[in-house]
């Protein structure tokens, strides 16, 4: 069990912070989260770091993919991104000044073991060393995620997530990262959203590595589940004092209509998006309707390897999906259907339903033993106006975050073991296949000058974090 006190220990030295001006602070109501609730921001390596050739880093599948013409909507790539690799200190200061007390970042496997297996690149780990030290100096507790989709290209060339050996490759990488940073980083997440990586990267093919089809998807899903288990086991064998978990994207899946076909398709989609992660980890089995596809991939001890106790579960929540029966869809004949008219949506078209977060957390409470949870991602993409007076006014994002924080408070009142909230994302960044044109940050990044400008959503969070300081934890 991840103890809040330990997680926050490094935040105790936080200094008093000046109040930020801004109209968003006046917005009511302010969601009431319990004292001890952890406030954080979330990012991922390829989306912000840039410096793709620095200090021995080798290419990842996302370097290859983003440099393939036609793959990224606006033709951008992560070569520079937010240049966080060089600007991390200022970015940490920005977070600390706003009042964040936790930060979830991901470690780039191709910086740490550039060829995926073999020699560890000390210079690559040095970056995370510097980052972690800076976070701790500024009273921010680090949470490291080991894999946020940036597989070393060298491993893709050996089959990537289709090669069963990846479970051991991942365990070796996990050990190397923990050996260097485990003295200062306590919570470790293994994977980010394995079902999303399997579905988009290995099924639809609109994310790296661009593979398609059902068999490809199923194989990538199973080997990620397995690697999650071997990673946890490898770290636990050496360290009992760390908090180990993983991060799933969870969402309510609704049928696009009441027809029996759509209702059944929504059930299958739910299995592929949600339970294909949850059931193996918490119950040691695949959803019954898909067991036959996983059986040929599953060796004798695999389910025991995957079903391990976790100290926490990270939940990424954005909104629900509406699903229809679609005979042509690779994913169990289930495809995206129309969103009901009148449903509020973000710029990406994603439906907004804050109560869906309550539903997702209640599902964990009722069917998966109510594990300790962090919302490790939540946020929204909107068309932001140009800054005025040094601030970007993003009232829709403020409203989105406020509603979802209210949902967090509701879920806690209803007995869900929710311990914290990490906004996605600290910075506008390289948003995968959308490129730089789609912004999720609470801080604006000008991709020409790399200048950072606060948004009203940062000021809103800042006001909340100061009003309900996590350092008052039990
Ligand atoms: C999540 C990803 C994250 C970001 C957000 C918008 O699925 O984990 O990297 O792209 O969506």
């Amino acid at each position: 069990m991840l103890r809040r006190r330990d997680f926050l220990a490094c935040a105790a030295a936080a200094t008093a912070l000046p109040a930020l001006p801004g109209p968003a602070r006046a917005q009511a109501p302010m969601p009431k989260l319990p004292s001890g609730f952890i406030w954080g921001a979330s990012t991922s390596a390829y989306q912000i770091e840039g410096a793709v050739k620095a200090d021995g880093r080798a290419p990842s599948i996302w370097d290859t993919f983003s440099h393939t013409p036609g793959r990224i909507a606006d033709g951008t790539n992560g070569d520079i991104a937010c240049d966080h690799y060089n600007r991390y200190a200022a970015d940490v200061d920005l977070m600390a000044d706003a009042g964040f007390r936790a930060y979830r970042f991901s470690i780039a496997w191709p910086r740490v073991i550039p060829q995926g297996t073999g020699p560890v690149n000390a210079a690559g780990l040095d970056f995370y060393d510097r980052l972690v030290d800076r976070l701790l100096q500024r009273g921010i507790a680090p949470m490291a995620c080991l894999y946020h989709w940036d597989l070393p290209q060298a491993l893709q060339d050996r089959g990537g997530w289709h090669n069963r050996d990846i479970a051991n490759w991942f365990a070796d990488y996990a050990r190397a990262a923990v050996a260097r940073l485990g003295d200062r980083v306590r919570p470790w997440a293994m994977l980010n959203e394995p079902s999303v990586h399997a579905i988009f990267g290995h099924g639809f093919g609109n994310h790296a590595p661009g593979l398609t089809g059902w068999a490809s998807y199923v194989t990538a899903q199973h080997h990620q589940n397995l690697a999650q288990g071997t990673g946890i086991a490898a770290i636990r064998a050496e360290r009992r004092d760390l908090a180990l978990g993983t991060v799933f994207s969870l969402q309510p899946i609704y049928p696009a209509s009441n027809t029996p076909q759509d209702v059944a398709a929504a059930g299958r989609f739910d299995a592929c998006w949600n339970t294909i992660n949850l059931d193996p980890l918490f119950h040691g089995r695949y959803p019954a309707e898909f067991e036959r596809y996983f059986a040929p991939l599953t060796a004798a001890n695999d389910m025991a390897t995957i079903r391990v106790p976790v100290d926490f579960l990270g939940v990424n929540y954005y909104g629900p999906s509406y699903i229809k029966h679609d005979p042509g869809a690779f994913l169990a004949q289930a495809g995206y259907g129309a969103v009901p008219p009148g449903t509020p949506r973000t710029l990406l078209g994603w439906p907004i339903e804050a109560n869906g977060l309550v539903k997702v957390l209640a599902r964990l409470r009722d069917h998966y033993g109510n594990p300790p949870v962090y919302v490790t991602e939540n946020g929204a993409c909107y068309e932001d106006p140009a800054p005025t007076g040094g601030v970007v006014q993003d009232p829709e994002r403020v409203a989105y975050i406020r509603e979802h924080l209210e949902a967090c408070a509701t879920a806690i009142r209803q007995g869900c073991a929710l311990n914290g909230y990490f906004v996605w994302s600290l910075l506008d960044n390289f948003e995968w296949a959308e490129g730089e044109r789609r912004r999720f940050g609470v801080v604006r990044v000008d991709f020409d000058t790399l200048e950072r400008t606060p948004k009203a959503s940062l000021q809103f969070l800042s006001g909340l974090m100061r009003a309900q300081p996590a350092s008052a934890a039990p």
Side-chain angles (χ1 to χ4, degrees):
M1 166 71 189
L2 176 59
R3 284 163 300 166
R4 284 186 206 161
R5 204 187 300 270
D6 293 349
F7 187 66
L8 289 164
C10 72
T15 48
L17 298 157
L20 282 178
R25 289 206 57 202
Q27 293 213 19
M30 294 290 227
K32 283 266 176 281
L33 279 312
S35 72
F37 191 74
I38 289 160
W39 298 91
S42 199
T43 64
S44 91
Y46 187 73
Q47 293 181 274
I48 63 166
E49 286 178 359
V52 292
K53 294 188 176 146
D55 301 323
R57 180 189 182 277
S60 75
I61 54 175
W62 268 99
D63 296 88
T64 309
F65 193 79
S66 65
H67 280 269
T68 306
R71 290 303 207 173
I72 308 300
D74 62 1
T76 55
N77 56 57
D79 286 5
I80 298 173
C82 306
D83 194 33
H84 173 76
Y85 193 80
N86 296 307
R87 294 164 194 254
Y88 71 91
D91 289 339
V92 170
D93 289 352
L94 216 155
M95 261 192 287
D97 292 347
F100 286 107
R101 289 293 169 262
Y103 177 51
R104 168 185 175 242
F105 63 97
S106 81
I107 296 175
W109 189 341
R111 287 197 196 282
V112 176
I113 305 181
Q115 296 309 311
T117 58
V120 173
N121 175 33
L125 277 167
D126 287 348
F127 167 68
Y128 300 104
D129 227 44
R130 294 192 292 276
L131 171 65
V132 165
D133 283 348
R134 184 79 177 195
L135 288 164
L136 295 174
Q137 275 162 18
R138 295 301 321 261
I140 299 174
M143 173 192 281
C145 178
L146 283 165
Y147 184 72
H148 200 123
W149 303 351
D150 47 355
L151 191 74
Q153 180 62 44
L155 292 186
Q156 191 60 46
D157 297 342
R158 295 161 71 185
W161 290 106
H162 289 170
N163 186 333
R164 195 181 156 82
D165 291 344
I166 199 165
N168 296 325
W169 303 338
F170 181 76
D172 290 345
Y173 157 58
R175 261 190 291 266
V178 167
R180 176 66 92 84
L181 302 167
D183 58 336
R184 284 152 294 151
V185 178
R186 187 163 183 276
W188 289 80
M190 300 299 111
L191 305 180
N192 179 71
E193 301 187 353
S195 70
V196 178
H197 194 38
I199 291 171
F200 291 121
H202 300 77
F204 279 119
N206 60 338
H207 276 192
L211 302 176
T212 55
W214 175 255
S216 166
Y217 148 76
V218 168
T219 312
Q221 179 65 59
H222 181 64
H223 292 151
Q224 285 185 90
N225 284 344
L226 197 57
Q228 188 179 276
T230 54
I232 290 174
I235 300 172
R236 273 216 182 112
E238 294 177 6
R239 298 283 301 268
R240 302 298 301 186
D241 55 331
L242 302 179
L244 306 183
T246 200
V247 173
F248 295 157
S249 170
L250 299 178
Q251 39 175 258
I253 306 295
Y254 302 130
S257 80
N258 293 333
T259 63
Q261 289 84 353
D262 284 358
V263 171
R268 295 194 300 275
F269 196 95
D270 177 58
C272 294
W273 191 280
N274 296 315
T275 44
I276 228 139
N277 290 318
L278 292 167
D279 284 8
L281 176 62
F282 291 105
H283 300 320
R285 58 166 188 260
Y286 278 107
E289 64 266 52
F290 294 130
E291 246 164 9
R292 68 197 156 109
Y293 300 106
F294 286 94
L297 299 163
T298 308
N301 290 324
D302 282 9
M303 297 320 285
T305 303
I306 297 169
R307 185 190 193 180
V308 283
V310 282
D311 300 299
F312 70 93
L313 182 68
V315 172
N316 294 353
Y317 179 79
Y318 291 92
S321 286
Y322 290 84
I323 297 301
K324 65 174 182 189
H325 178 70
D326 177 355
F330 91 88
L331 196 72
Q333 300 193 318
Y336 286 100
V339 174
T343 307
R345 305 214 235 166
T346 69
L347 184 62
L348 287 177
W350 298 1
I352 302 172
E353 192 205 19
N355 194 49
L357 176 56
V358 181
K359 293 181 188 169
V360 155
L361 296 173
R363 188 179 193 180
L364 293 173
R365 180 196 61 202
D366 297 342
H367 299 285
Y368 297 98
N370 207 15
V373 166
Y374 296 97
V375 172
T376 36
E377 287 183 24
N378 176 251
C381 174
Y382 286 106
E383 193 80 65
D384 293 327
T388 46
V391 178
V392 174
Q393 295 303 335
D394 60 342
E396 297 108 324
R397 188 174 290 107
V398 172
Y400 179 98
I401 292 172
R402 190 180 58 236
E403 283 166 25
H404 287 78
L405 283 168
E406 281 164 7
C408 288
T410 303
I412 293 170
R413 278 198 304 276
Q414 295 180 3
C416 300
L418 175 63
N419 296 315
Y421 174 94
F422 294 67
V423 71
W424 183 272
S425 181
L426 177 65
L427 303 169
D428 291 340
N429 59 37
F430 176 77
E431 177 46 41
W432 307 119
E434 300 287 345
E436 291 170 350
R437 65 184 191 150
R438 295 295 181 238
R439 296 168 179 274
F440 276 85
V442 294
V443 173
R444 175 187 167 81
V445 175
D446 179 321
F447 290 107
D448 296 323
T449 63
L450 296 170
E451 191 189 346
R452 276 71 164 145
T453 307
K455 300 186 190 178
S457 50
L458 178 74
Q459 299 178 326
F460 171 71
L461 278 168
S462 187
L464 278 175
M465 293 188 288
R466 288 184 187 135
Q468 300 170 315
S471 47

